[in-house]
């Protein structure tokens, strides 16, 4: 076991230089070798046919890769990683362009993993690491010979449904793994491909979707004329919901790519800038809202089935916030960008105030709500949403520790969804939507409620499960989302990378290390399952796919983050300077 000193978050909040913005110094904008620069759009799917290769036919590529792995011929081109003890979170977040910037880039198809083979690594290479890389490479999807993403799952024992597609959200951990391993080209290809798909007309029946909508997923279809790409914007998805998260993940990934490589030429391309503006114009559009949160349909994100998350789900609000912050760094003022930058700034302030104030829950806040008066009218109302205290579910009184807190699932008129949602809370830490005190309290909650939120297999996607009549009403009697299964209280190994990133940002990597140990005890033996069922996540999920790519990639990202925490800067941002702390009272959990 390694002794890790806490990284000081405060260091990163106030003292970090405002180093990542459009007025970046030359050094930050330095270009990568010429291979990187000539971004031509020759990847159009209507071009000349080429041999059709997809993941199933990647054997050549994989064999090449395996040969290299077996020879052990790849040593890291980078200097050995720094131990966590010597890294300040300031370094992780802002000061380092990237550990990979300026590296000779490697191809995603035929190179060996660096992880696990690092000379002088303080970490014993776990055998699962090499296995994970092997599986991750098998999941590559090629379009006209170029890798453009990874397939959701490579499980031949189950009906593929849409698991044979490249999902935008699923690709994020894969992309981060490749970036951390010095292989940015697949990420660039993916970003450009998704941009192309965004430009297509999107219709469901007689209705045309917003121009900025990004696909939930796409598949490469081989034909006699060559490969074509078929996207799904929600028109084929179960429930027909458009993925609100895809556009946000795309922007977040664009920044990760830029931060990791130091290469701004991709983000600066007029088409990419336009793609960003299109996404922003949907989510910053004026409407009837009285709040800065983004109003959503049920099932519009990782939880893509009816689960009662309609309204203002924390997952989307946290991604929205992080994506706005990333766009602020990447957007150029030209062509209307300036106006968007102004709108972003205003929205960021309003959104952070709103979420920090009204979504935050801890022992003290719960007690306040428990004593709420109702039917208050006028500006002076304390119970602004007219939440009836009787609507507070029983479980939350027992669940709430004296030390710890979290952002609840949803807030809307007379409705607070007190459920815990892992992804939204972790992203709120990474984007600094949470105040430093709130960040620490969320990590406290993980520790205080370990068996509920981590259990035997990390991590609970949501807690607790809906049961009985509530399950019937809220999910529409969904047989896939029965209690403690799938989205309804199931456990998802992919969430490990988010926990790891959050625990490094808050200076508590030991939390991630404990969770990783649990994953290493089972995940590979269980065939890299998609999710686990049961209160403690003990059972491989009823309908869980095996060789689920994001379970594999999530594990790799966690390992690489712990090995070299400077990678954190790709997906985390220091506190947004202008957002004032909300007027929330400090709870016992923050001072304890
Ligand atoms: C399931 C998940 C969704 C994921 C997809 C592919 O539908 O709910 O979040 O993107 O599978 O893995």
């Amino acid at each position: 076991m390694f002794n890790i000193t806490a990284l000081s978050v405060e260091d990163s909040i106030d003292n970090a230089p405002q180093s990542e913005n459009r007025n970046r110094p030359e050094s930050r904008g330095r270009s990568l070798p010429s291979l990187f620069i000539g971004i031509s759009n020759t990847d159009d799917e209507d071009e000349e046919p080429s041999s059709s290769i997809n993941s199933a036919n990647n054997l050549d590529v994989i064999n090449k890769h395996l040969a290299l792995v077996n020879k052990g011929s790849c040593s890291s081109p980078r200097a050995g990683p720094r131990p966590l003890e010597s890294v300040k979170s300031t370094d992780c977040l802002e000061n380092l362009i990237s550990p990979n910037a300026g590296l000779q880039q490697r191809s995603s198809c035929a190179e060996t993993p660096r992880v696990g083979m690092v000379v002088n690594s303080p970490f014993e290479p776990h055998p699962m690491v090499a296995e994970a890389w092997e599986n991750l490479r098998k999941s590559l999807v090629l379009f006209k010979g170029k890798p453009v993403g990874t397939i959701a799952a490579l499980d031949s024992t189950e009906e593929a449904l849409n698991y044979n597609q490249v999902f935008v959200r699923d690709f994020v951990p894969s992309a981060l793994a490749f970036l951390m391993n010095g292989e940015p080209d697949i990420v660039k290809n993916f970003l450009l491909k998704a941009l192309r798909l965004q430009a297509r007309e999107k219709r469901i029946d007689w209705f045309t979707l917003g121009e900025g909508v990004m696909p939930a997923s796409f598949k490469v279809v081989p034909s006699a004329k060559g490969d074509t790409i078929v996207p799904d914007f929600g028109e084929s998805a179960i429930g027909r919901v458009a993925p609100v998260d895809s556009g946000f993940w795309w922007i977040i990934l664009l920044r990760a790519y830029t931060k990791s490589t130091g290469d701004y030429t991709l983000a600066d391309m007029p088409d990419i800038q336009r793609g960003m503006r299109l996404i922003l114009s949907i989510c910053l559009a004026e409407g009837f809202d009285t709040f800065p949160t983004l109003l959503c349909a049920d099932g519009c994100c990782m939880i893509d089935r009816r689960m009662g998350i309609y309204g203002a789900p924390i997952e989307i609000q946290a991604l929205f916030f992080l994506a706005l912050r990333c766009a602020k760094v990447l957007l150029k003022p030209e062509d209307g960008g300036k106006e968007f930058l102004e709108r972003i700034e205003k929205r960021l302030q309003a959104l952070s105030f709103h979420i920090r104030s009204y979504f935050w829950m801890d022992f003290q806040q719960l007690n306040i709500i428990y004593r709420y008066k109702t039917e208050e009218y006028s500006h002076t109302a304390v119970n602004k949403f007219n939440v009836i205290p009787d609507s507070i579910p029983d479980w939350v009184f027992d669940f709430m520790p004296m030390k710890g807190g979290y952002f609840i699932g949803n807030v809307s008129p007379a409705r607070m969804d007190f459920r815990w949602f892992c992804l939204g809370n972790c992203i709120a830490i990474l984007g600094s939507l949470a105040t430093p005190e709130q960040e620490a309290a969320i990590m406290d909650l993980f520790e205080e409620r370990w068996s509920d939120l981590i259990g035997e297999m990390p991590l609970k996607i949501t807690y607790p499960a809906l049961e009985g009549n509530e399950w019937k009403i809220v999910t529409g009697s969904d047989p896939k989302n029965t209690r403690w299964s799938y989205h309804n209280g199931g456990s998802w190994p992919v969430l490990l990378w988010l926990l790891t990133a959050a625990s490094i940002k808050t200076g508590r990597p030991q939390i991630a290390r404990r969770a990783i140990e649990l994953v290493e005890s089972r995940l590979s033996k269980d065939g890299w399952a998609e999710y686990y069922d049961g209160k403690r996540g003990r059972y491989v999920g009823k309908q869980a796919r095996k060789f689920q790519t994001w379970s594999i990639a999530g594990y790799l990202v966690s390992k690489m983050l712990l090995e070299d925490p400077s990678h954190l800067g790709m997906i985390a941002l220091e506190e947004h300077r202008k957002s004032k702390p909300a007027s929330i009272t400090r709870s016992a959990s923050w001072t304890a």
Side-chain angles (χ1 to χ4, degrees), residues 84-378:
L84 275 177
E85 288 84 340
S86 68
V87 180
K88 278 187 156 190
S89 61
T90 332
D91 292 342
C92 300
L93 298 184
E94 292 304 320
N95 287 345
L96 303 177
I97 286 184
S98 135
N100 294 323
L103 274 188
Q104 188 97 43
Q105 71 164 329
R106 297 193 257 171
S107 138
S108 300
C109 294
E111 291 286 342
T112 47
R114 186 185 56 77
V115 170
M117 297 181 183
V118 176
V119 186
N120 297 334
S121 167
F123 295 90
E124 280 300 308
H126 194 284
M128 265 172 71
V129 170
E131 190 196 320
W133 272 111
E134 194 183 313
N135 284 311
L136 181 61
R137 292 191 196 284
K138 279 185 195 164
S139 75
L140 284 172
V141 172
L142 304 192
F143 177 76
K144 298 187 178 174
K146 283 205 290 186
V148 290
T150 48
I151 198 169
L154 254 182
D155 185 352
S156 51
T157 63
E158 293 277 341
E159 197 191 338
L161 296 176
N162 52 359
Y163 282 87
N164 58 4
Q165 305 203 6
V166 179
F167 278 75
V168 171
R169 71 177 73 88
D170 292 45
F171 181 64
V172 172
S174 301
L176 294 175
F178 286 121
L179 288 175
M180 290 175 188
N181 202 43
E183 300 175 64
D185 51 355
I186 179 174
V187 181
K188 187 174 83 178
N189 296 342
F190 168 86
L191 289 166
L192 287 167
K193 188 50 69 190
L195 184 77
R196 281 299 174 93
L197 299 175
Q198 182 201 41
R200 291 197 182 177
E201 191 188 318
K202 302 161 269 253
R203 278 176 67 149
I204 298 188
D205 301 331
W206 291 97
F207 186 69
T208 306
L209 276 71
E211 251 191 297
V213 177
M214 281 281 180
S217 61
F218 61 83
K219 65 179 166 201
V220 175
V221 183
S223 78
K225 280 172 130 194
D227 295 347
T228 51
I229 288 212
V230 180
D232 178 7
F233 295 92
E235 74 274 27
S236 310
I238 294 166
R240 303 286 184 269
V241 182
V244 179
D245 62 341
S246 286
F248 297 149
W249 281 123
W250 184 83
I251 293 176
I252 293 164
L253 203 52
L254 179 63
R255 176 187 169 269
Y257 169 89
T258 309
K259 182 84 177 169
S260 159
T261 58
D263 167 30
Y264 277 84
T265 57
L266 180 67
D268 285 354
M269 281 172 60
D271 282 356
I272 293 265
Q273 290 284 320
R274 181 167 182 273
M276 257 191 293
R277 289 195 303 268
L278 286 176
I279 296 169
L280 293 169
S281 61
I282 319 181
C283 56
L284 295 175
E286 290 179 355
F288 289 99
D289 310 289
T290 38
F291 297 112
T293 35
L294 198 63
L295 209 52
C296 301
D298 216 340
C300 63
C301 48
M302 176 181 180
I303 296 180
D304 55 1
R305 298 169 79 89
R306 182 172 152 190
M307 267 290 289
I309 62 160
Y310 61 90
I314 186 65
E315 171 168 344
I316 290 297
Q317 311 315 316
L319 285 171
F320 181 28
F321 187 82
L322 179 56
L324 286 182
R325 295 203 59 199
C326 292
K328 196 181 145 191
V329 169
L330 300 169
L331 256 192
K332 301 209 289 189
E334 296 88 56
D335 301 320
K338 186 164 175 281
E339 192 210 322
F340 278 110
L341 285 166
E342 285 160 9
R343 283 159 73 186
I344 288 174
E345 193 55 52
K346 284 190 189 146
R347 193 65 170 255
L348 283 172
Q349 281 186 50
L351 192 58
S352 63
F353 178 86
H354 185 89
I355 301 286
R356 290 171 177 190
S357 309
Y358 305 126
F359 279 62
W360 184 251
M361 198 59 52
D362 59 13
F363 181 78
Q364 183 175 326
Q365 188 61 20
L366 182 60
N367 212 153
I368 292 171
I369 296 170
Y370 174 68
R371 289 163 52 81
Y372 264 169
K373 294 185 177 55
T374 55
E375 310 302 326
E376 292 174 300
Y377 182 75
S378 98

Side-chain angles (χ1 to χ4, degrees), residues 376-392:
E376 292 174 300
Y377 182 75
S378 98
H379 295 289
T380 54
V382 176
N383 181 1
K384 294 195 171 60
F385 299 91
N386 199 34
V387 173
I388 321 284
D390 263 1
S391 70
I392 305 174

Side-chain angles (χ1 to χ4, degrees), residues 429-440:
I429 292 179
L430 297 183
S432 295
L433 172 57
T435 64
E437 293 85 356
Q438 288 171 336
E439 291 182 3

